[in-house]
Amino acid sequence: MPNTGGPELHVGKLQKFRLFRPILAGATLRERVIACLGALAGITLTGLICGWFFGEGPHIPLIVAPMGASAVLIFAVPASPLAQPWPVIGGNTISAFMGVLAAHFIPDPVIAIGVGVSLAIAAMSLTRSLHPPGGAAALTALIGGPAVTSAGFLFPLFPVGLNSVILVVLGIGFHKLSRRNYPHRAVAAPVNTHGTADRPAPLRVGFQAEDVDAALEALDETLDIDRADLDRLLRQVELQALVRARGTLTCAEVMSRDVITLGLDGSAEKARHLLITHNIRTLPVIDGAGRLAGTIGLRELTLQGAVGLRAVMSEARTAGPDEPVIGLVNALTDGRTHAVVVVAEDRRVLGIITQTDLLATLTRLLSDKTFAPSDPVAPQAA
């Protein structure tokens, strides 16, 4: 019987093909397809628009080569700090200016290209516009040929600056259509909503900001990720580890099913009456088809006054019935959310999980007691 190599050979083959796997965390086939389509639209339209401005001819390039690298960042890794609008526009333009400056004052081309790229990195660092294609923009200003040389100090603005602005504008439009976040905005860290000096509840336990800083210092490497995103990633890792360890209990097993709701055409007075009568903090608001439209609490009613529900209700925090209840820890400890509404795919209200429900569940889980689906669960609580 021939020797097929067994598990060791299989692992070896997998290791060889690791070179062909995406090297970016979170990269998926869908994301790469979107990046390709974005680059196609962005680069093509940038060239067409610049051609309309300048006219086609050898006197000046319609689009410079560094825009290809900028397109990779804008469309393939839009969350990168290096791909944001100011680094793209400022980094390319400032770097091109450094290249023109080096070419103007240094006659030796070999020395000029080294000095130009070096100045570009320094200038981008000082102006917080670090953008890798900026190095190519500086080189283009130095070795771009007669068309670039004749443009002189206008080259950083036309076409480099104009190319960059157009590409960024197109990137913003494309990502908006594809429902992606660009320019990237990091999710705000939890804040204390009670007006006291204490840290928000999620930040009082686990690792602290200084721990992240110390880890970065110990690694002694520059990472291509926003500091706030890194903090959020690590906290999500903590939550995923908790879900993996204690995540067998689903929202459907814990939720209160007899949910007190109010129709969208109801009044603020009726909402206040239901909240006080049933001693609850969060009241789901449903539309005529029984789908969740939002939530309302005494705080919203107090701040806004007795007006229509549409003006005062907040966006609901939701979860699916099959999601692990442990995954609601972040939502129910953010200082603002008192309950998570469990909904079906069509947003029909199936149940609700309050902070009290979560606390009771965690107490049972952490004490290692068996929690059967038939066990009684606290009603929709305050």
Side-chain angles (χ1 to χ4, degrees):
M1 184 173 180
N3 183 7
T4 58
E8 294 81 5
L9 179 59
H10 180 66
V11 172
K13 289 181 178 179
L14 288 177
Q15 292 296 329
K16 290 180 182 179
F17 284 101
R18 286 182 65 87
L19 292 174
F20 300 98
R21 296 176 62 185
I23 60 173
L24 295 176
T28 63
L29 177 60
R30 178 180 178 274
E31 291 293 306
R32 297 288 75 82
V33 171
I34 290 176
C36 293
L37 294 175
L40 172 63
I43 292 296
T44 302
L45 290 175
T46 299
L48 290 174
I49 293 170
C50 289
W52 181 78
F53 270 105
F54 300 123
E56 296 186 14
H59 57 290
I60 193 166
L62 299 180
I63 188 168
V64 290
M67 292 305 111
S70 294
V72 172
L73 289 170
I74 292 174
F75 296 104
V77 282
S80 169
L82 308 177
Q84 302 315 298
W86 169 239
V88 175
I89 298 171
N92 281 329
T93 305
I94 292 169
S95 296
F97 179 76
M98 293 297 107
V100 171
L101 201 65
H104 185 75
F105 288 104
I106 302 175
D108 189 321
V110 176
I111 297 177
I113 59 176
V115 171
V117 174
S118 176
L119 287 176
I121 295 174
M124 287 189 291
S125 299
L126 290 173
T127 56
R128 300 180 66 85
S129 62
L130 193 63
H131 185 61
L139 276 178
T140 303
L142 286 155
I143 60 175
V148 174
T149 304
S150 62
F153 283 95
L154 285 177
F155 177 73
L157 297 177
F158 307 102
V160 175
L162 181 61
N163 284 173
S164 301
V165 170
I166 294 172
L167 193 60
V168 165
V169 171
L170 292 172
I172 292 172
F174 178 83
H175 286 307
K176 187 173 183 180
L177 290 174
S178 60
R179 297 182 179 179
R180 299 165 96 207
N181 181 14
Y182 184 81
H184 178 66
R185 292 176 292 275
V187 176
V191 296
N192 187 328
T193 59
H194 305 296
T196 65
D198 289 317
R199 286 182 173 183
L203 303 185
R204 294 177 204 160
V205 296
F207 68 86
Q208 304 297 320
E210 51 268 27
D211 298 326
V212 178
D213 294 334
L216 289 171
E217 185 176 351
L219 289 175
D220 195 24
E221 292 186 34
T222 301
L223 304 179
D224 184 11
I225 183 172
D226 183 87
R227 173 65 177 73
D229 285 335
L230 179 59
D231 188 279
R232 185 164 70 94
L233 173 64
L234 293 175
R235 295 192 185 281
Q236 188 62 34
V237 169
E238 281 190 328
L239 178 60
Q240 291 303 127
L242 181 61
V243 169
R244 177 172 52 80
R246 303 280 185 174
T248 57
L249 199 62
T250 66
C251 291
E253 295 173 278
V254 174
M255 67 185 185
S256 299
R257 298 172 186 270
D258 185 14
V259 184
I260 308 300
T261 63
L262 181 66
L264 194 55
D265 57 350
S267 65
E269 289 82 359
K270 185 175 181 180
R272 185 179 293 105
H273 172 75
L274 289 172
L275 288 165
I276 294 173
T277 301
H278 293 280
N279 191 26
I280 55 178
R281 291 187 178 186
T282 301
L283 186 64
V285 180
I286 58 176
D287 61 17
R291 294 186 297 265
L292 182 65
T295 58
I296 193 169
L298 287 176
R299 183 173 185 273
E300 289 92 340
L301 293 173
T302 302
L303 292 176
Q304 300 292 341
V307 295
L309 293 183
R310 295 178 187 271
V312 298
M313 68 180 183
S314 301
E315 183 178 355
R317 296 297 293 268
T318 63
D322 296 327
E323 293 182 30
V325 70
I326 298 297
L328 306 185
V329 169
N330 282 350
L332 290 174
T333 57
D334 64 2
R336 296 181 297 272
T337 305
H338 300 294
V340 172
V341 185
V342 183
V343 296
E345 291 185 3
D346 60 358
R347 289 186 67 82
R348 287 184 301 104
V349 175
L350 302 177
I352 194 167
I353 297 176
T354 67
Q355 292 172 320
T356 304
D357 296 329
L358 180 64
L359 180 60
T361 301
L362 289 176
T363 301
R364 295 192 181 191
L365 288 176
L366 295 176
S367 64
D368 289 326
K369 290 181 180 180
T370 302
F371 188 86
S374 58
D375 284 352
V377 178
Q380 184 177 348

